[in-house]
Amino acid sequence: MLQILLTGGDGFIGRNLKEAWRNRYSVVYPKSSELDLLDGGAVEQFVASHRFDVVIHAATWNATTTSTKDLSRVFENNCRIFFNLERAKNSYGRLISFGSGAEYDRASMEPLTPEDRFSCHIPTDSYGFSKYVIARMIERSSSACNLRLFAVFGAHEDWRIRFISNACCRALFNLPITIRQNRRFDYMHVGDLAMIVGWFIEHTPHHASYNVCTSRPIDLLTLAEIVLEVSAKHLPIQVAEEGSGLEYSGDNSRLLAEMGCFSFADVKSRIEELYNWYEARKDSIDPSLL
């Protein structure tokens, strides 16, 4: 059984990967109290003592409105964590790092952005810039791969701020669904991500970076309507700003060519599954935080 180091194991993506791979890989996912990823010496010693086949880097220093992390350290800490792992590369097989569509610069990216648009714009935000720098480093590596994520949804995400989960929870408590602006996003279910990453664990990719997305962008208003349909609720949908804003989507042609074929999950069925997941955990949700 392959030995996997998973960073960020307590985060949204990490928790879903652990569940999906429970019987497939031997996954080690140290807590921050067990391994400080900002401590280069500790990372080097930990990796050397285990000899992992693959490192899956899902940890990120992404300060949000609900986070207690220091916003001023987003760039430095994201880069430091990655370079600490990359520096220990002689002690493991391969590194698979989760990048972001933000690497293309969210303020200027085009719909269905292909990988060859990378470096056409330098991200102006700290998070996107950190991911950009990491992606540039991976381009020069022979043992690392960058999987650029766009909009991933599913169980365990922060329902206070993540749109689909927030909409499900608002419907659950008979609250209106709120939308800042009706933008289009390339949403992918986290279960699909787990299968795609599994493919990369077991195969050697031919490129340094891949857009990992559906290439089927969907607008937030349509998603809100799907939530109301699966919840059988008749609630208002409130849109604060007119217009549609910039689309956040990627071209997945390189990914599909590499994998041969892959069928993404139906969004409606996955939203229904997610709504039922929250319904079973309704007592753990504080509606005042929605």
Side-chain angles (χ1 to χ4, degrees):
M1 185 177 288
L2 290 174
Q3 304 293 309
I4 308 292
L5 169 61
L6 172 64
T7 69
D10 287 334
F12 158 52
I13 288 177
R15 293 177 71 178
N16 280 279
L17 294 182
K18 287 188 297 185
E19 291 180 3
W21 297 343
R22 186 176 292 115
N23 300 315
R24 186 173 180 180
Y25 308 120
S26 175
V27 183
V28 175
Y29 41 93
K31 296 180 180 294
S32 57
S33 59
E34 299 169 322
L35 175 62
D36 181 2
L37 294 171
L38 292 169
D39 184 336
V43 170
E44 189 171 19
Q45 183 177 7
F46 185 88
V47 173
S49 67
H50 287 80
R51 293 287 174 175
F52 296 103
D53 295 298
V54 181
V55 174
I56 306 295
H57 181 33
T60 183
W61 189 279
N62 187 16
T64 63
T65 55
T66 58
S67 172
T68 59
K69 293 179 178 177
D70 184 352
L71 182 62
S72 68
R73 302 189 69 84
V74 168
F75 174 78
E76 177 185 346
N77 286 359
N78 273 336
C79 290
R80 188 173 299 279
I81 290 170
F82 170 80
F83 282 107
N84 284 342
L85 289 167
E86 197 278 336
R87 180 169 171 262
K89 62 185 177 183
N90 291 333
S91 296
Y92 58 80
R94 290 191 295 118
L95 171 64
I96 298 174
S97 180
F98 290 136
S100 169
E103 295 166 27
Y104 295 116
D105 184 30
R106 283 177 284 203
S108 55
M109 65 188 298
E110 60 192 52
L112 299 175
T113 301
E115 286 89 352
D116 62 12
R117 297 296 294 171
F118 180 63
S119 283
C120 288
H121 301 279
I122 307 298
T124 55
D125 65 292
S126 296
Y127 176 75
F129 189 40
S130 69
K131 292 296 186 179
Y132 173 88
V133 170
I134 291 168
R136 288 298 298 265
M137 179 63 189
I138 290 176
E139 284 186 336
R140 303 175 184 180
S141 172
S142 60
S143 60
C145 182
N146 178 35
L147 302 184
R148 291 194 182 106
L149 309 183
F150 288 75
V152 183
F153 77 99
H156 303 303
E157 67 179 338
D158 190 340
W159 46 265
R160 296 169 294 177
I161 59 174
R162 300 304 176 193
F163 179 74
I164 294 180
S165 281
N166 184 267
C168 287
C169 292
R170 293 185 73 87
L172 193 61
F173 286 95
N174 297 309
L175 298 172
I177 295 177
T178 57
I179 299 173
R180 181 178 301 173
Q181 189 178 43
N182 187 29
R183 295 178 60 191
R184 287 165 59 86
F185 289 87
D186 199 334
Y187 273 102
M188 176 179 65
H189 188 261
V190 71
D192 287 342
L193 176 61
M195 289 189 283
I196 291 170
V197 178
W199 187 94
F200 278 89
I201 288 173
E202 297 172 15
H203 298 79
T204 302
H206 293 91
H207 300 276
S209 294
Y210 296 82
N211 290 337
V212 179
C213 55
T214 68
S215 292
R216 300 196 303 247
I218 186 169
D219 66 278
L220 299 182
L221 184 57
T222 297
L223 288 169
E225 291 169 346
I226 292 173
V227 169
L228 293 182
E229 183 180 352
V230 302
S231 66
K233 300 288 183 73
H234 299 282
L235 300 168
I237 300 173
Q238 301 171 347
V239 182
E241 300 177 19
E242 294 183 358
S244 57
L246 292 175
E247 181 172 305
Y248 190 56
S249 61
D251 180 350
N252 67 8
S253 298
R254 177 183 290 180
L255 174 72
L256 297 184
E258 183 84 351
M259 295 183 66
C261 64
F262 185 81
S263 297
F264 290 94
D266 173 66
V267 171
K268 181 180 177 181
S269 64
R270 290 302 194 180
I271 290 179
E272 183 174 15
E273 175 186 295
L274 183 61
Y275 180 83
N276 292 335
W277 189 85
Y278 281 115
E279 189 172 38
R281 294 160 177 79
K282 185 176 181 179
D283 291 344
S284 66
I285 301 168
D286 182 353
S288 69
L289 300 178
L290 292 168

